[in-house]
Amino acid sequence: MNPSEQAQPGLRLLARGEYAAAVSSFETALRAHPQDVDSWFGLARAQLALGKPEAARTALARTVALAPGHSAAQALIASLEDDGGSPEVLKRLASLAQAPGAGFIEHYAHAQALLRRGQDDEASKSLRAALTLQPESPQALVDLGQIALRQGRADKARDAFRVASGLAPGEWMPRLLHARALMALRHFAQAMTVLNEAVAAHPREVPLQQARFECALIQGEPQKALEAAQALETLKPGDANPLYQRGLALLTLGKLPEAAQALQESLRLAPEAIEPKHALAQVRTAQGQQGEALSLLEELQRAAPRALEPVLDLSRLYLAEDRTAEAERVLRALSAEHPEEPRVNLNLALALFKQDRKPEALSFIERVKASRDASLVEQARKLEAQIHGAPLRPPLIRG
């Protein structure tokens, strides 16, 4: 059934994402036509899009009072009642979606309820049913993409987010998700292109700058990471994290004094934070200040004995100083949380070897040999050969 004439201007605004203007249009229509069902329902949808559930409830109540069989309105009412745990609400939404003539909203509301319950496979079916009725729905495509990403199907996620981005050119979230999917596929250059375009259109969106920082750092472009960190500092003044990110970018660029200054400022704002303290320890190590690096890493190990990267760095420094018993102690604690981590196992094997506990070392070497990291496997084999008497130097200590 075609919508009423008076509702059509508001529906066009709604379709363009101009939700506040849509509310005004529907309210104007309802002043002249207070019994118009389509305007009440359109008003409810616009209020929901603006994050005003109570106003939406009022408009939905008027919709079903005027049209008791309005299944789309009933689906939205059920969605507003849904806490993610009520089997009765889920059953009602399923019934509305399965009824003859069910539309996009009924299927989409059912999918949302399934997502709230973690039922991704069933939600995918409902979302596809919704898309057969409204193929150009960016929100349904985004939801399908997020399911695919959770299920490790980054290629499918990328495709869904790319189409959603084209359908909603004024929205930044689909572009961010598109970039995240590309990063999961290790297509970092493409991801950076998507993020740069999104940032150009939405320069004040923190999640975009955050993703840009991460992508640049992984891609090996610390100067771009530094630019993103500086943008985040502007967007989040007084926040410790952008300072940490600036420090990390400067560390990667080899600008050690500047990195230390930024990281110390970050720690002043967040003295218990692990990441900036670890990065500062890395700066001190690079500056040859091993004593201060050790102090920072020991402090971190006491606070977070199972934090992988800081404790690995600590074990590396202990091993370099032949403090093998201490290296073993911190690595044993770490191994309880990361029993299959090859770097932990390699460093443990080396600590045991240096203590002349060769049979124990061999058990950890076997774990390393199962790794997919060819470099680590090679080092493990060299250590194994030395245990068996071959005149080889021990492997480098991996941090």
Side-chain angles (χ1 to χ4, degrees):
M1 185 182 297
N2 292 327
S4 64
E5 182 180 346
Q6 48 268 26
Q8 288 182 19
L11 292 172
R12 285 192 290 271
L13 291 165
L14 192 61
R16 293 201 298 267
E18 299 178 33
Y19 304 124
V23 167
S24 297
S25 178
F26 289 127
E27 288 176 339
T28 298
L30 286 165
R31 280 194 289 272
H33 304 275
Q35 306 301 309
D36 185 60
V37 173
D38 293 327
S39 292
W40 279 115
F41 186 57
L43 177 60
R45 291 173 60 199
Q47 297 286 22
L48 281 173
L50 289 169
K52 298 180 178 180
E54 292 309 313
R57 285 178 197 273
T58 300
L60 288 167
R62 291 298 300 270
T63 302
V64 296
L66 292 166
H70 200 297
S71 63
Q74 291 170 359
L76 292 184
I77 291 170
S79 292
L80 287 170
E81 294 173 358
D82 188 24
D83 61 1
S86 168
E88 292 79 12
V89 173
L90 182 60
K91 185 177 179 181
R92 189 173 5 145
L93 284 164
S95 177
L96 288 166
Q98 292 160 8
F104 171 85
I105 288 174
E106 291 90 318
H107 288 291
Y108 187 73
H110 183 218
Q112 291 295 302
L114 291 164
L115 287 172
R116 284 190 284 272
R117 290 158 176 81
Q119 299 180 32
D120 281 357
D121 290 338
E122 293 302 312
S124 290
K125 294 176 186 176
S126 290
L127 288 167
R128 290 193 182 94
L131 284 164
T132 62
L133 297 165
Q134 194 171 313
E136 296 188 346
S137 167
Q139 64 264 44
L141 286 163
V142 163
D143 288 338
L144 268 180
Q146 289 179 309
I147 291 170
L149 208 53
R150 285 194 293 273
Q151 294 180 338
R153 295 179 291 118
D155 55 339
K156 298 293 186 185
R158 172 203 57 201
D159 295 343
F161 295 141
R162 183 180 62 232
V163 175
S165 298
L167 292 170
E171 300 291 328
W172 59 267
M173 183 59 75
R175 298 196 202 184
L176 172 62
L177 293 169
H178 183 199
R180 291 284 187 199
L182 287 165
M183 289 169 69
L185 290 166
R186 305 192 66 78
H187 297 167
F188 299 114
Q190 293 178 42
M192 185 60 78
T193 297
V194 171
L195 287 168
N196 286 338
E197 291 172 356
V199 166
H202 307 276
R204 298 197 59 78
E205 292 298 337
V206 168
L208 290 174
Q209 294 286 7
Q210 178 66 40
R212 187 164 168 257
F213 169 83
E214 294 168 14
C215 187
L217 211 58
I218 295 169
Q219 195 181 7
E221 297 196 34
Q223 184 59 45
K224 290 184 179 178
L226 178 60
E227 293 166 8
Q230 290 168 331
L232 285 164
E233 283 186 81
T234 302
L235 295 172
K236 301 173 70 178
D239 191 291
N241 198 53
L243 284 162
Y244 156 65
Q245 292 171 315
R246 174 157 63 89
L248 195 58
L250 289 164
L251 169 60
T252 309
L253 284 164
K255 298 182 177 181
L256 301 181
E258 297 95 325
Q261 183 179 9
L263 293 166
Q264 287 169 326
E265 180 62 16
S266 176
L267 284 168
R268 186 186 67 78
L269 295 170
E272 303 304 317
I274 291 174
E275 291 84 356
K277 193 169 292 185
H278 179 213
L280 183 58
Q282 291 176 312
V283 170
R284 295 310 185 206
T285 300
Q287 291 176 318
Q289 299 178 25
Q290 308 291 67
E292 186 174 347
L294 265 173
S295 296
L296 288 164
L297 291 170
E298 287 173 336
E299 185 180 336
L300 277 173
Q301 196 276 334
R302 288 191 294 271
R306 297 182 178 183
L308 179 62
E309 301 300 336
V311 180
L312 275 171
D313 278 359
L314 178 59
S315 75
R316 177 180 59 79
L317 291 181
Y318 279 154
L319 287 167
E321 295 186 357
D322 286 328
R323 295 165 64 177
T324 53
E326 290 168 282
E328 181 189 354
R329 173 180 58 80
V330 299
L331 287 165
R332 292 278 188 188
L334 193 60
S335 181
E337 184 72 16
H338 307 278
E340 303 305 321
E341 168 57 51
R343 293 173 298 166
V344 173
N345 290 319
L346 181 59
N347 284 9
L348 254 175
L350 186 55
L352 292 164
F353 168 72
K354 285 189 169 190
Q355 295 177 72
D356 202 27
R357 291 157 61 189
K358 296 175 182 177
E360 290 179 74
L362 286 169
S363 68
F364 288 100
I365 286 172
E366 288 303 315
R367 296 187 192 180
V368 182
K369 285 161 65 178
S371 168
R372 295 181 179 180
D373 188 319
S375 173
L376 291 175
V377 172
E378 181 186 359
Q379 292 183 65
R381 290 190 187 282
K382 286 182 178 180
L383 182 56
E384 182 182 40
Q386 190 164 9
I387 288 172
H388 290 307
L392 293 172
R393 297 177 63 187
L396 296 173
I397 302 162
R398 288 298 294 260

